[in-house]
Amino acid sequence: MKLQLTRPLVFFDLETTGLNIASDRIVEISYHKVYPNGNAEGKTLRIKPTMLMMGQEVQMHIPEEAASVHGIHDEDVAACPTFKEVASEIAAVFADADIAGYNSNHFDVPLLAEEFIRAGVQIDLMQSKRIDVFTIFQRKEPRNLTAAYQFYCGKNLEDAHSANADTMATYEVLLAQLDRYEDVPTTVAELEEFTTGKSQFADFAGRIAYDNEGVEIFNFGKYKGMRVGDVFRRDTGYYGWLMNGDFPQYTKNVFMRIYLNIRK
């Protein structure tokens, strides 16, 4: 195995109620945690998705469109724990580790971050190195995970779109990619740069980027390219609009931090 680890690396996958990072919820999470000494452990958890309704936490409906993909329906998770009930257990898995997944930088990681915020668990996934196996595959052999598994591992992906099957397939695909491509790096830090790129964002949704001096700038809207702090100084109403808008909570937290810093 060419993968070089200096600390644990968690491969994970989510099944969810939909594709909206800000409003959808996790219904299943599976992880495979690999340690530098070669040991590994994993687990799959079904989650009852919940939402606030008239001040009460109620079970959130899993739309048929989502259920048709992963096969998880309302009755399958009715007796399962909520994310808040297992959030500390899940956070402990990620706290000392770097992260890997398939298209995870654009979906799984930011959605997981939102769930932690709602659960009141303090963990900043932005501090972990994040490897997106999909990016390697996209750059080398553009297809989907099922095709990647067949191409690199020579096997059919059984139970595709189940969190456990996708998690283990992602792990196997990365190892096969490292064996196949000599120019793909093997350390977590280099893999993060290879899959994420040098252009880093201050939030998972990519709404806030950094300029050449490492200062946060807007990456969307009428102030795109302008420094967030400068905009907030001259247009305080825009800050209020952002905080009431349909943005992920992690993104709002970054806006709030910048706003509070300029008011000190």
Side-chain angles (χ1 to χ4, degrees), residues 114-127:
E114 291 296 296
E115 290 278 36
F116 280 131
I117 291 172
R118 281 189 289 267
V121 171
Q122 298 297 315
I123 178 172
D124 189 355
L125 301 179
M126 193 68 78
Q127 300 305 311

Side-chain angles (χ1 to χ4, degrees), residues 6-250:
T6 57
R7 68 180 198 148
L9 180 61
V10 176
F11 291 80
F12 85 107
D13 184 71
L14 304 178
E15 303 303 336
T16 66
T17 58
L19 301 177
N20 189 309
I21 292 169
S23 61
D24 278 306
R25 303 289 192 270
I26 295 171
V27 298
E28 186 174 77
I29 179 171
S30 185
Y31 69 85
H32 183 69
K33 188 172 185 177
V34 184
Y35 292 86
N37 64 6
N39 291 339
E41 61 179 344
K43 192 173 185 179
T44 298
L45 289 169
R46 285 278 175 92
I47 307 292
K48 179 171 70 176
T50 60
M51 61 184 294
L52 280 176
M53 183 175 293
M54 299 181 67
Q56 297 293 320
E57 198 80 15
V58 299
Q59 181 171 348
M60 183 176 178
H61 172 60
I62 302 173
E64 191 56 39
E65 182 179 4
S68 67
V69 174
H70 50 57
I72 303 172
H73 300 267
D74 292 343
E75 59 270 21
D76 298 320
V77 294
C80 293
T82 65
F83 186 86
K84 187 173 184 178
E85 291 172 330
V86 297
S88 294
E89 174 188 346
I90 296 172
V93 173
F94 286 83
D96 65 339
D98 295 314
I99 304 169
Y102 194 84
N103 199 31
S104 51
N105 285 348
H106 295 98
F107 182 72
D108 300 80
V109 172
L111 197 149
L112 181 61
E114 291 296 296
E115 290 278 36
F116 280 131
I117 291 172
R118 281 189 289 267
V121 171
Q122 298 297 315
I123 178 172
D124 189 355
L125 301 179
M126 193 68 78
Q127 300 305 311
S128 298
K129 299 293 185 185
R130 302 182 304 281
I131 300 170
D132 197 328
V133 174
F134 172 68
T135 303
I136 299 175
F137 185 41
Q138 192 176 45
R139 290 172 63 174
K140 295 295 185 179
E141 312 287 345
R143 298 183 199 173
N144 59 25
L145 179 57
T146 299
Y149 195 59
Q150 176 64 48
F151 182 86
Y152 289 109
C153 304
K155 295 181 283 186
N156 293 321
L157 179 54
E158 304 294 338
D159 297 323
H161 297 300
S162 73
N164 183 58
D166 289 356
T167 295
M168 296 308 298
T170 300
Y171 174 53
E172 291 184 48
V173 166
L174 177 58
L175 297 183
Q177 287 173 331
L178 297 181
D179 287 335
R180 179 179 288 263
Y181 303 117
E182 292 296 327
D183 61 335
V184 174
T186 58
T187 68
V188 169
E190 292 172 321
L191 278 169
E192 182 195 36
E193 182 172 324
F194 188 85
T195 61
T196 305
K198 294 183 179 180
S199 178
Q200 297 293 317
F201 297 100
D203 69 322
F204 293 115
R207 298 303 186 97
I208 311 165
Y210 291 109
D211 64 16
N212 292 334
E213 297 179 10
V215 179
E216 298 93 343
I217 59 174
F218 284 104
N219 196 39
F220 71 99
K222 63 180 181 180
Y223 291 121
K224 184 174 181 178
M226 296 182 63
R227 290 185 170 182
V228 177
D230 291 344
V231 171
F232 287 168
R233 288 186 183 93
R234 79 171 71 147
D235 187 353
T236 55
Y238 195 61
Y239 170 74
W241 176 81
L242 291 169
M243 297 307 289
N244 288 308
D246 186 22
F247 296 98
Q249 189 60 49
Y250 192 98

